[in-house]
Amino acid sequence: MAPMHSTELCNLLGLQIDSLPQEHPLLKQFPLRVPAPYLKRIEKGNPADPLLLQIFPRPEETLSMPGFSPDPVGESEANPKPGILHKYKGRALLLVTSSCAIHCRYCFRRHFPYEENNPGKEHWRESLEYLKQDSSISEVILSGGDPLTLPDKYLAWFMAELAQINHIRRIRIHTRLPIMIPQRVTPDLCKLLANQRFQTILVIHSNHAQEFDDEVDAACLSLKKAGITLLNQSVLLKHINDSSDALVALSERLFKAGVLPYYLHLLDRVSGAAHFDVPEETGKALIKELQAQLPGYLVPKLVREIPGQEAKTPVG
Ligand SMILES: *Cc1c(COP(=O)(O)O)cnc(C)c1O
Ligand code: SF4
Protein backbone atom coordinates (compact mmCIF):
# COMPACT_ATOMS: atom_id res chain seq x y z
CA MET A 1 0.00 0.00 0.00
CA ALA A 2 1.75 3.14 -1.22
CA PRO A 3 1.76 6.24 0.98
CA MET A 4 -0.50 9.02 -0.19
CA HIS A 5 -0.08 12.77 -0.48
CA SER A 6 -2.40 14.86 1.74
CA THR A 7 -3.34 17.05 -1.22
CA GLU A 8 -4.33 13.99 -3.23
CA LEU A 9 -6.56 12.81 -0.37
CA CYS A 10 -8.13 16.26 -0.03
CA ASN A 11 -8.85 16.32 -3.75
CA LEU A 12 -10.46 12.91 -3.63
CA LEU A 13 -12.70 14.00 -0.77
CA GLY A 14 -13.38 17.50 -2.09
CA LEU A 15 -11.78 19.14 0.94
CA GLN A 16 -9.30 21.84 1.77
CA ILE A 17 -7.67 21.21 5.13
CA ASP A 18 -4.31 22.26 6.51
CA SER A 19 -1.94 19.36 6.53
CA LEU A 20 1.49 18.66 7.94
CA PRO A 21 3.82 19.75 5.10
CA GLN A 22 4.67 16.82 2.82
CA GLU A 23 8.45 17.27 3.37
CA HIS A 24 8.19 17.23 7.15
CA PRO A 25 10.34 14.50 8.77
CA LEU A 26 7.31 13.29 10.74
CA LEU A 27 5.61 12.45 7.47
CA LYS A 28 8.75 10.88 6.01
CA GLN A 29 8.92 8.60 9.03
CA PHE A 30 5.18 7.93 9.30
CA PRO A 31 3.49 8.83 5.99
CA LEU A 32 -0.20 9.23 5.32
CA ARG A 33 -1.44 5.75 4.53
CA VAL A 34 -5.03 4.75 3.90
CA PRO A 35 -6.31 1.61 2.16
CA ALA A 36 -9.03 1.92 -0.50
CA PRO A 37 -11.79 -0.03 1.32
CA TYR A 38 -11.50 2.30 4.33
CA LEU A 39 -11.20 5.40 2.17
CA LYS A 40 -14.53 4.43 0.60
CA ARG A 41 -16.22 4.76 4.02
CA ILE A 42 -15.03 8.36 4.56
CA GLU A 43 -17.79 10.85 3.86
CA LYS A 44 -16.91 13.24 1.02
CA GLY A 45 -16.84 16.94 1.84
CA ASN A 46 -16.81 16.39 5.61
CA PRO A 47 -13.61 17.71 7.22
CA ALA A 48 -14.81 16.33 10.61
CA ASP A 49 -15.40 12.78 9.38
CA PRO A 50 -14.38 10.46 12.24
CA LEU A 51 -12.54 8.09 9.91
CA LEU A 52 -10.67 10.91 8.20
CA LEU A 53 -9.55 12.40 11.51
CA GLN A 54 -7.78 9.14 12.39
CA ILE A 55 -5.50 9.24 9.38
CA PHE A 56 -5.05 12.87 8.37
CA PRO A 57 -1.63 14.34 9.28
CA ARG A 58 -2.35 17.63 11.04
CA PRO A 59 0.12 20.49 11.55
CA GLU A 60 -0.50 20.01 15.33
CA GLU A 61 1.64 16.85 15.17
CA THR A 62 4.74 19.02 15.34
CA LEU A 63 3.75 20.58 18.67
CA SER A 64 5.84 19.45 21.57
CA MET A 65 3.55 19.00 24.57
CA PRO A 66 4.46 18.35 28.19
CA GLY A 67 3.81 14.73 29.15
CA PHE A 68 3.95 13.48 25.57
CA SER A 69 7.03 11.42 24.60
CA PRO A 70 8.29 9.04 21.90
CA ASP A 71 7.89 5.89 24.07
CA PRO A 72 4.97 6.62 26.42
CA VAL A 73 4.36 3.03 27.49
CA GLY A 74 7.92 2.03 28.37
CA GLU A 75 8.28 -0.59 25.66
CA SER A 76 12.03 -0.23 25.36
CA GLU A 77 12.29 -1.59 28.92
CA ALA A 78 10.24 -4.69 28.18
CA ASN A 79 12.14 -5.87 25.15
CA PRO A 80 14.07 -8.99 26.31
CA LYS A 81 14.89 -10.20 22.77
CA PRO A 82 14.50 -8.51 19.41
CA GLY A 83 10.87 -8.74 18.34
CA ILE A 84 9.50 -9.69 21.78
CA LEU A 85 7.74 -7.53 24.36
CA HIS A 86 7.22 -9.31 27.65
CA LYS A 87 5.57 -7.06 30.20
CA TYR A 88 2.71 -9.09 31.63
CA LYS A 89 2.61 -12.48 33.29
CA GLY A 90 1.64 -15.31 31.01
CA ARG A 91 1.51 -13.21 27.85
CA ALA A 92 4.28 -12.35 25.44
CA LEU A 93 3.85 -10.06 22.46
CA LEU A 94 5.69 -10.66 19.20
CA LEU A 95 6.36 -7.75 16.85
CA VAL A 96 6.11 -9.86 13.72
CA THR A 97 6.14 -6.97 11.27
CA SER A 98 6.49 -3.22 11.23
CA SER A 99 3.98 -2.73 8.41
CA CYS A 100 0.42 -1.55 8.76
CA ALA A 101 -2.32 -1.18 6.16
CA ILE A 102 -3.18 2.19 7.63
CA HIS A 103 -1.29 4.78 9.60
CA CYS A 104 -3.29 5.90 12.62
CA ARG A 105 -1.95 9.29 13.59
CA TYR A 106 -2.44 8.60 17.31
CA CYS A 107 -0.50 5.32 17.22
CA PHE A 108 1.74 4.87 20.25
CA ARG A 109 4.23 2.86 18.21
CA ARG A 110 4.69 5.60 15.62
CA HIS A 111 8.21 6.23 16.93
CA PHE A 112 9.06 2.62 17.83
CA PRO A 113 12.55 1.54 16.69
CA TYR A 114 11.30 -1.20 14.39
CA GLU A 115 14.66 -1.45 12.62
CA GLU A 116 16.18 -2.84 15.83
CA ASN A 117 13.23 -5.19 16.20
CA ASN A 118 13.13 -6.91 12.90
CA PRO A 119 15.01 -10.08 13.77
CA GLY A 120 14.77 -11.98 10.46
CA LYS A 121 14.30 -15.75 10.45
CA GLU A 122 17.72 -16.57 11.97
CA HIS A 123 17.23 -14.36 14.95
CA TRP A 124 13.59 -15.28 15.41
CA ARG A 125 14.97 -18.68 16.48
CA GLU A 126 16.61 -16.94 19.42
CA SER A 127 13.43 -15.08 20.28
CA LEU A 128 11.36 -18.27 19.99
CA GLU A 129 13.88 -19.96 22.27
CA TYR A 130 13.06 -17.29 24.87
CA LEU A 131 9.39 -18.32 24.70
CA LYS A 132 10.36 -21.98 24.98
CA GLN A 133 12.44 -21.33 28.10
CA ASP A 134 9.63 -19.57 29.98
CA SER A 135 6.88 -22.07 30.71
CA SER A 136 4.76 -19.38 32.38
CA ILE A 137 3.94 -18.02 28.92
CA SER A 138 0.61 -19.54 27.90
CA GLU A 139 -0.47 -16.90 25.40
CA VAL A 140 1.39 -15.35 22.50
CA ILE A 141 0.12 -12.16 20.94
CA LEU A 142 1.02 -11.49 17.34
CA SER A 143 1.30 -7.75 16.94
CA GLY A 144 3.43 -5.18 15.17
CA GLY A 145 2.70 -3.26 13.02
CA ASP A 146 -0.17 -5.37 11.83
CA PRO A 147 0.49 -9.13 11.71
CA LEU A 148 -2.10 -9.68 8.97
CA THR A 149 -0.02 -7.58 6.57
CA LEU A 150 2.24 -10.65 6.49
CA PRO A 151 1.64 -13.19 3.74
CA ASP A 152 -0.06 -16.40 4.90
CA LYS A 153 3.13 -18.40 4.52
CA TYR A 154 4.92 -16.26 7.14
CA LEU A 155 1.96 -16.53 9.49
CA ALA A 156 1.97 -20.28 8.93
CA TRP A 157 5.69 -20.36 9.80
CA PHE A 158 5.09 -18.55 13.10
CA MET A 159 2.13 -20.80 13.91
CA ALA A 160 4.15 -23.92 13.18
CA GLU A 161 7.06 -22.75 15.37
CA LEU A 162 4.75 -21.74 18.22
CA ALA A 163 2.83 -25.02 17.97
CA GLN A 164 6.02 -26.83 19.00
CA ILE A 165 6.08 -25.01 22.32
CA ASN A 166 3.75 -27.04 24.54
CA HIS A 167 2.99 -24.43 27.17
CA ILE A 168 1.55 -22.00 24.59
CA ARG A 169 -2.19 -22.62 24.58
CA ARG A 170 -3.58 -19.43 23.08
CA ILE A 171 -2.67 -17.26 20.14
CA ARG A 172 -4.01 -13.78 19.99
CA ILE A 173 -3.79 -11.57 16.91
CA HIS A 174 -4.01 -7.80 17.24
CA THR A 175 -5.05 -6.44 13.88
CA ARG A 176 -6.92 -3.68 12.10
CA LEU A 177 -6.97 -5.58 8.79
CA PRO A 178 -10.51 -7.05 8.98
CA ILE A 179 -11.70 -3.43 9.20
CA MET A 180 -9.18 -1.80 6.86
CA ILE A 181 -9.03 -4.42 4.12
CA PRO A 182 -11.73 -7.00 4.86
CA GLN A 183 -10.72 -8.84 1.66
CA ARG A 184 -7.58 -9.92 3.55
CA VAL A 185 -9.77 -12.37 5.46
CA THR A 186 -9.69 -15.08 2.80
CA PRO A 187 -10.90 -18.67 3.13
CA ASP A 188 -7.20 -19.68 3.19
CA LEU A 189 -6.46 -17.38 6.11
CA CYS A 190 -9.48 -18.71 8.03
CA LYS A 191 -8.35 -22.27 7.33
CA LEU A 192 -4.84 -21.48 8.49
CA LEU A 193 -6.10 -20.00 11.75
CA ALA A 194 -8.66 -22.75 12.34
CA ASN A 195 -6.31 -25.67 11.74
CA GLN A 196 -4.27 -25.12 14.89
CA ARG A 197 -4.17 -26.76 18.27
CA PHE A 198 -4.45 -23.29 19.86
CA GLN A 199 -7.47 -21.36 20.98
CA THR A 200 -7.36 -18.30 18.78
CA ILE A 201 -8.49 -14.82 19.66
CA LEU A 202 -8.52 -11.98 17.19
CA VAL A 203 -8.65 -8.48 18.60
CA ILE A 204 -9.71 -6.01 15.97
CA HIS A 205 -9.26 -2.31 16.44
CA SER A 206 -12.23 -0.18 15.52
CA ASN A 207 -12.97 3.25 16.90
CA HIS A 208 -16.21 4.13 15.19
CA ALA A 209 -19.38 2.41 13.92
CA GLN A 210 -18.88 4.01 10.51
CA GLU A 211 -15.84 1.76 10.00
CA PHE A 212 -18.22 -1.16 9.41
CA ASP A 213 -19.89 -2.14 6.17
CA ASP A 214 -21.16 -5.40 4.64
CA GLU A 215 -17.66 -6.47 3.66
CA VAL A 216 -16.36 -6.00 7.20
CA ASP A 217 -19.35 -7.97 8.51
CA ALA A 218 -18.58 -10.78 6.09
CA ALA A 219 -14.92 -10.86 7.17
CA CYS A 220 -15.90 -11.02 10.85
CA LEU A 221 -18.45 -13.73 10.16
CA SER A 222 -15.91 -15.95 8.38
CA LEU A 223 -13.49 -15.58 11.27
CA LYS A 224 -16.24 -16.46 13.70
CA LYS A 225 -17.19 -19.51 11.65
CA ALA A 226 -13.55 -20.58 11.84
CA GLY A 227 -13.98 -20.78 15.63
CA ILE A 228 -12.11 -17.60 16.46
CA THR A 229 -13.10 -15.42 19.41
CA LEU A 230 -13.54 -11.84 18.22
CA LEU A 231 -12.89 -8.86 20.49
CA ASN A 232 -12.43 -5.17 19.82
CA GLN A 233 -10.17 -2.56 21.31
CA SER A 234 -10.65 1.16 20.72
CA VAL A 235 -8.81 4.27 21.66
CA LEU A 236 -10.82 7.14 23.12
CA LEU A 237 -10.16 9.93 20.62
CA LYS A 238 -11.17 13.56 20.69
CA HIS A 239 -13.78 14.55 18.10
CA ILE A 240 -13.85 10.94 16.87
CA ASN A 241 -15.60 8.81 19.50
CA ASP A 242 -15.68 10.96 22.66
CA SER A 243 -19.46 10.97 22.99
CA SER A 244 -21.83 8.41 24.46
CA ASP A 245 -23.75 8.31 21.17
CA ALA A 246 -20.62 7.35 19.23
CA LEU A 247 -19.57 4.71 21.77
CA VAL A 248 -23.05 3.20 22.12
CA ALA A 249 -23.31 2.99 18.33
CA LEU A 250 -19.88 1.37 18.15
CA SER A 251 -20.71 -1.31 20.74
CA GLU A 252 -24.01 -2.09 19.02
CA ARG A 253 -22.32 -2.24 15.63
CA LEU A 254 -19.54 -4.48 16.90
CA PHE A 255 -22.04 -6.94 18.34
CA LYS A 256 -23.97 -6.99 15.08
CA ALA A 257 -20.73 -8.14 13.44
CA GLY A 258 -20.18 -10.78 16.13
CA VAL A 259 -17.50 -8.85 18.01
CA LEU A 260 -17.45 -8.05 21.74
CA PRO A 261 -15.96 -4.82 23.07
CA TYR A 262 -12.84 -5.46 25.14
CA TYR A 263 -10.84 -2.34 25.94
CA LEU A 264 -11.39 1.37 25.53
CA HIS A 265 -7.90 2.80 25.92
CA LEU A 266 -7.14 6.26 27.13
CA LEU A 267 -4.68 7.70 24.66
CA ASP A 268 -1.05 6.73 25.16
CA ARG A 269 0.72 10.04 25.34
CA VAL A 270 2.94 9.72 22.30
CA SER A 271 4.58 12.83 20.83
CA GLY A 272 2.50 14.31 18.05
CA ALA A 273 -0.85 12.97 19.28
CA ALA A 274 -1.85 15.52 21.93
CA HIS A 275 -4.69 16.81 19.75
CA PHE A 276 -6.42 13.42 20.18
CA ASP A 277 -6.27 13.39 23.97
CA VAL A 278 -9.48 13.09 25.99
CA PRO A 279 -9.31 13.80 29.73
CA GLU A 280 -9.62 10.81 32.05
CA GLU A 281 -12.66 12.38 33.76
CA THR A 282 -14.50 12.54 30.43
CA GLY A 283 -13.64 8.87 29.85
CA LYS A 284 -15.07 7.89 33.23
CA ALA A 285 -18.26 9.88 32.65
CA LEU A 286 -18.69 8.26 29.22
CA ILE A 287 -18.38 4.77 30.70
CA LYS A 288 -21.08 5.64 33.25
CA GLU A 289 -23.36 6.68 30.40
CA LEU A 290 -22.61 3.46 28.52
CA GLN A 291 -23.46 1.45 31.63
CA ALA A 292 -26.79 3.22 31.81
CA GLN A 293 -27.58 2.53 28.16
CA LEU A 294 -26.11 -0.85 27.27
CA PRO A 295 -26.08 -4.42 28.54
CA GLY A 296 -22.97 -5.04 30.63
CA TYR A 297 -21.33 -7.18 27.95
CA LEU A 298 -21.33 -4.25 25.52
CA VAL A 299 -19.47 -1.89 27.86
CA PRO A 300 -15.71 -1.93 27.19
CA LYS A 301 -13.19 -1.67 30.03
CA LEU A 302 -11.69 1.79 30.25
CA VAL A 303 -7.94 1.38 30.77
CA ARG A 304 -4.72 3.28 30.68
CA GLU A 305 -1.28 1.83 30.09
CA ILE A 306 1.12 2.93 32.80
CA PRO A 307 4.78 1.92 32.36
CA GLY A 308 5.98 -0.54 34.97
CA GLN A 309 2.49 -1.80 35.93
CA GLU A 310 1.77 -5.53 35.73
CA ALA A 311 -1.35 -5.04 33.60
CA LYS A 312 -3.31 -2.30 31.87
CA THR A 313 -4.69 -0.10 34.62
CA PRO A 314 -8.50 0.09 34.95
CA VAL A 315 -9.80 3.64 35.15
CA GLY A 316 -12.98 4.59 36.98
C1 LIG B 1 -1.54 -4.77 26.12
C2 LIG B 1 -0.43 -5.75 26.13
C3 LIG B 1 -0.67 -7.13 26.34
C4 LIG B 1 -2.07 -7.69 26.50
O1 LIG B 1 -2.69 -7.29 27.67
P1 LIG B 1 -4.14 -7.87 27.99
O2 LIG B 1 -4.58 -7.12 29.19
O3 LIG B 1 -3.98 -9.33 28.23
O4 LIG B 1 -4.98 -7.61 26.79
C5 LIG B 1 0.40 -7.97 26.41
N1 LIG B 1 1.67 -7.53 26.27
C6 LIG B 1 1.94 -6.22 26.07
C7 LIG B 1 3.35 -5.80 25.95
C8 LIG B 1 0.90 -5.30 25.99
O5 LIG B 1 1.18 -4.01 25.75
S1 SF4 C 1 -2.81 -0.25 12.67
FE1 SF4 C 1 -2.25 -0.34 14.87
S2 SF4 C 1 0.01 -0.41 14.87
FE2 SF4 C 1 -0.64 0.29 12.82
S3 SF4 C 1 -0.62 2.53 12.92
FE3 SF4 C 1 -2.72 1.86 13.43
S4 SF4 C 1 -2.76 1.70 15.68
FE4 SF4 C 1 -0.60 1.74 15.02
Side-chain angles (χ1 to χ4, degrees), residues 75 85 87-88 91 93 141 172 262-263 305 312:
E75 294 208 314
L85 294 176
K87 274 200 209 175
Y88 302 149
R91 290 147 290 169
L93 189 148
I141 301 170
R172 195 194 316 178
Y262 179 37
Y263 280 144
E305 181 144 3
K312 314 270 189 255

Side-chain angles (χ1 to χ4, degrees), residues 73 75 78 84-89 91-94 108-109 139 141 172 174 203 233 262-263 265 303 305 310-312:
V73 298
E75 294 208 314
I84 296 194
L85 294 176
H86 190 194
K87 274 200 209 175
Y88 302 149
K89 190 167 187 313
R91 290 147 290 169
L93 189 148
L94 302 192
F108 71 98
R109 292 214 181 102
E139 177 163 342
I141 301 170
R172 195 194 316 178
H174 280 181
V203 184
Q233 51 182 343
Y262 179 37
Y263 280 144
H265 295 269
V303 290
E305 181 144 3
E310 57 192 19
K312 314 270 189 255

Side-chain angles (χ1 to χ4, degrees), residues 30 100-104 106-109 114 144-146 176 205:
F30 194 63
C100 292
I102 182 164
H103 282 169
C104 317
Y106 54 84
C107 178
F108 71 98
R109 292 214 181 102
Y114 281 114
D146 195 312
R176 286 205 94 179
H205 170 180

